[in-house]
Amino acid sequence: MIQHKLKFAAAAVLALGLASCDMNLLPKDGLPTDESLQTVSDLQNWWNGRMANLRNQQGGIFTVVQDLQADQISVTANQGNHYAGSLSWESCTASDYDRRDVYISYYQALTNINFVFENLGNLEVKEGEKSTYNILLGRHHFYRAYCYANLALRYGTPYNAASAGTDLCVPLLLEFDPVGRPARATNQEVYNQILNVDLAKAKELLAGVKGEPGADEITIDAVTALEARVKLYMSDWSGALAASKSLIDGGNYPLVEPDPQNFVDMWVYDAPAEEILMPFISRPKEEPRWANIYYDAKTDAKRSDGKDGCNYVSYLPFKWVVDMYSDKDLRKPVYFEMQECNIKDNFYNFYVIAKQKGNPNYASTHNDAFTWWGGYVPDGMVRPKIFRIAEQYLIASEAAFKAGQEGTAKEYLNALRISRGLDKVTASGNSLYQAIKDERTRELAFEGFRLWDLRRWGEGVKRHDPQVPADGSTSHLRPGIFEYEYQPGDFHFVWPITANDINTNENIKNQQNPGW
């Protein structure tokens, strides 16, 4: 299973923590894996590597691929042929490298997690280290659950409780075997591993690790947040409601007051307000992550007046997306900015996606001349917001509605809306459900949720209403993809098992997802 990739990944990551070893004494093709995990300090080093993996699995291809496949973002003439399988679904094959690389990344992480579990017997836990050992072990269990949850979401059959015992999910690797070739497990097996094995163990071991806003490490609250998200995707309404409600009622993460500065602080300056898990960023040691590739602030792009510094955008939000936010909505000026855009040396004033555009405290370039950017060059360098309490309010609202508790659904929905500067919703029935879905669309825009939400809501993808200049021309857009419709149930909503695995693993050669 992912044989050639995993072998190299394991070799690369197994070097972690071996700096004190004399590698010249080892065979050229050997690694002292029996020496790499002997102390709790070694285990901490291993976890540091896993936490770096987890942080790097935010933004980039881990959100962009599915967001571009959905309906909120149009593509300009500046864009090359990147993400072709997301822009034109018909061109996507099982060899698509973006979907392949996401798949490989999660399995690389799993290989290294399984290495830890397999070698715990070599580890000496000294007096006073048991608590640290348990916390680190709990965090590894959390991360294994996180990886399988994301693999199942993308590559597994969408969860249906009635057929979970036979529906195919993803290969389940629970031992350190970089060249293992298991068949695909069932949804029942994979989700049991996620919820009843790894998250259950993480809950036990991290019970005393309390959460706080802006926590940069895995706490018990991050475990519960993942549980709520997984159960929402499973349509386990009572389970999703219970998990999300426990985080809301715990009171550790109050929604911000409806003040414009709170949203600037939260999204631009990474203020620890509503974030359940927000890993640490270190500058200048770390290079920009480009979590937001949409803003495209280029210092060498000319403006219409000849000055340097323009948004040379490859991506724009559709007009209907911007219009979903009323002028009262405090998120609107933070999620979107009206900027002059250089598109193939033609100039337009359009809304660009500014959500997670980059924290000025992490920026590489500051220049007061760039007044339109606030005196710095936004480069996408932000602390990734892996879990937020706002998502939990949305989970609680939707789960309560689906469980027949409209009053509770409205309570959670309106609490979020008030925080965002909006009026309460008084609707009921289908109108209330639409309001819940609309609020989820607004709050979580451009964070990688949209495609999976459309799929589980039984809705298709309809790209329409791009931003255009006053004359209505569309020459600034890539043709053929900015007005297109894909029907509910289209097989592209479930990503393919990577072609390399299908071709090299005899146990899954007949287990490709339908349509691929």
Side-chain angles (χ1 to χ4, degrees):
M1 209 271 302
I2 10 179
Q3 182 180 12
H4 62 294
K5 291 289 183 182
L6 282 182
K7 186 182 292 185
F8 297 147
V13 184
L14 285 176
L16 180 67
L18 299 180
S20 61
C21 300
D22 186 352
M23 297 298 287
N24 292 326
L25 300 179
L26 297 167
K28 291 182 179 179
D29 60 351
L31 283 165
T33 57
D34 57 334
E35 299 176 16
S36 64
L37 194 58
Q38 296 183 328
T39 68
V40 173
S41 179
D42 292 337
L43 184 59
Q44 179 67 67
N45 289 337
W46 272 87
W47 173 247
N48 292 344
R50 304 293 68 71
M51 194 64 195
N53 291 157
L54 174 61
R55 193 189 63 179
N56 290 336
Q57 288 168 342
Q58 315 306 315
I61 61 172
F62 299 93
T63 57
V64 171
V65 176
Q66 61 250 32
D67 273 349
L68 292 182
Q69 192 179 338
D71 60 354
Q72 294 180 301
I73 300 170
S74 63
V75 181
T76 77
N78 284 343
Q79 204 249 22
N81 199 33
H82 307 304
Y83 310 113
S86 290
L87 305 180
S88 175
W89 291 21
E90 296 84 354
S91 69
C92 191
T93 70
S95 297
D96 178 82
Y97 56 85
D98 295 314
R99 287 155 183 78
R100 176 204 66 193
D101 289 349
V102 171
Y103 186 82
I104 288 170
S105 176
Y106 287 123
Y107 274 112
Q108 287 176 342
L110 287 165
T111 296
N112 288 287
I113 294 167
N114 290 336
F115 173 85
V116 169
F117 289 139
E118 188 163 308
N119 286 275
L120 290 175
N122 300 328
L123 194 148
E124 177 187 3
V125 182
K126 295 180 180 179
E127 186 82 20
E129 293 182 327
K130 186 64 175 176
S131 176
T132 300
Y133 170 83
N134 284 338
I135 289 171
L136 292 170
L137 200 58
R139 286 172 173 162
H140 278 85
H141 277 288
F142 164 88
Y143 191 24
R144 186 159 69 177
Y146 179 88
C147 289
Y148 274 120
N150 279 281
L151 285 164
L153 177 66
R154 291 163 169 80
Y155 306 95
T157 306
Y159 190 87
N160 181 332
S163 55
T166 54
D167 287 339
L168 292 178
C169 195
V170 294
L172 195 56
L173 289 175
L174 301 174
E175 298 178 354
F176 177 65
D177 185 1
V179 294
R181 298 180 178 185
R184 292 175 69 179
T186 65
N187 270 342
Q188 182 174 306
E189 292 168 326
V190 173
Y191 282 89
N192 179 69
Q193 179 67 35
I194 293 168
L195 293 169
N196 300 323
V197 179
D198 283 317
L199 285 186
K201 195 65 177 177
K203 279 186 177 182
E204 173 191 334
L205 295 171
L206 298 175
V209 184
K210 303 302 181 185
E212 61 180 10
D216 60 7
E217 264 290 6
I218 310 302
T219 67
I220 187 64
D221 290 344
V223 177
T224 304
L226 177 57
E227 177 188 0
R229 185 184 291 178
V230 169
K231 288 184 174 178
L232 179 76
Y233 288 128
M234 296 172 70
S235 300
D236 176 359
W237 308 121
S238 61
L241 178 57
S244 56
K245 186 176 185 297
S246 71
L247 287 169
I248 296 168
D249 293 350
N252 285 345
Y253 310 94
L255 293 167
V256 296
E257 292 297 318
D259 182 292
Q261 189 60 43
N262 287 336
F263 292 86
V264 174
D265 291 343
M266 184 161 53
W267 285 104
V268 179
Y269 292 97
D270 294 328
E274 299 180 355
E275 289 70 37
I276 297 169
L277 178 60
M278 189 167 65
F280 183 69
I281 291 288
S282 176
R283 289 288 285 149
K285 294 181 180 179
E286 299 180 72
E287 292 301 314
R289 291 178 53 253
W290 289 101
N292 180 347
I293 68 168
Y294 307 131
Y295 196 77
D296 276 329
K298 298 288 196 298
T299 57
D300 57 352
K302 296 293 185 182
R303 303 179 68 80
S304 57
D305 60 6
K307 292 180 180 179
D308 289 332
C310 198
N311 292 72
Y312 193 80
V313 289
S314 296
Y315 308 99
L316 290 167
F318 279 106
K319 183 177 183 296
W320 71 263
V321 176
V322 179
D323 290 346
M324 285 191 75
Y325 301 78
S326 72
D327 289 341
K328 294 174 57 177
D329 196 321
L330 298 172
R331 294 166 295 196
K332 185 173 183 178
V334 179
Y335 286 13
F336 307 100
E337 289 178 6
M338 181 65 74
Q339 290 283 355
E340 182 175 77
C341 299
N342 180 326
I343 302 176
K344 296 293 185 180
D345 290 328
N346 292 307
F347 301 93
Y348 311 85
N349 289 316
F350 287 143
Y351 280 107
V352 300
I353 299 169
K355 190 179 189 181
Q356 300 190 85
K357 65 180 181 181
N359 187 331
N361 293 323
Y362 305 142
S364 301
T365 302
H366 291 263
N367 188 329
D368 290 340
F370 298 136
T371 55
W372 46 89
W373 294 331
Y376 76 108
V377 181
D379 58 12
M381 192 75 163
V382 294
R383 290 178 65 184
K385 298 165 178 58
I386 301 179
F387 296 109
R388 302 193 285 120
I389 198 65
E391 180 195 358
Q392 300 302 313
Y393 273 86
L394 292 162
I395 290 173
S397 181
E398 184 173 353
F401 178 86
K402 299 296 282 188
Q405 302 176 36
E406 284 201 8
T408 302
K410 247 183 288 201
E411 174 188 343
Y412 288 122
L413 175 63
N414 285 329
L416 182 63
R417 285 178 59 85
I418 290 169
S419 170
R420 274 50 184 160
L422 303 176
D423 298 330
K424 290 183 178 181
V425 165
T426 59
S428 60
N430 290 336
S431 295
L432 174 58
Y433 189 37
Q434 187 62 52
I436 292 168
K437 293 191 291 185
D438 286 347
E439 202 58 50
R440 184 176 174 90
T441 300
R442 279 188 284 265
E443 178 66 34
L444 302 180
F446 321 119
E447 294 184 59
F449 291 95
R450 179 64 173 170
L451 185 69
W452 317 125
D453 286 338
L454 290 172
R455 184 179 71 185
R456 65 188 182 82
W457 291 334
E459 300 178 14
V461 165
K462 186 175 182 179
R463 300 175 186 153
H464 64 96
D465 198 17
Q467 296 184 71
V468 296
D471 63 7
S473 66
T474 59
S475 59
H476 62 294
L477 297 170
R478 278 191 60 177
I481 58 173
F482 62 86
E483 290 184 331
Y484 215 93
E485 188 168 0
Y486 298 95
Q487 297 302 313
D490 189 297
F491 73 86
H492 293 88
F493 273 106
V494 179
W495 289 0
I497 302 297
T498 181
N500 178 73
D501 277 18
I502 294 295
N503 295 333
T504 61
N505 180 356
E506 63 277 8
N507 293 309
I508 63 170
K509 65 180 181 181
N510 297 317
Q511 293 185 328
Q512 181 59 281
N513 286 321
W516 292 99

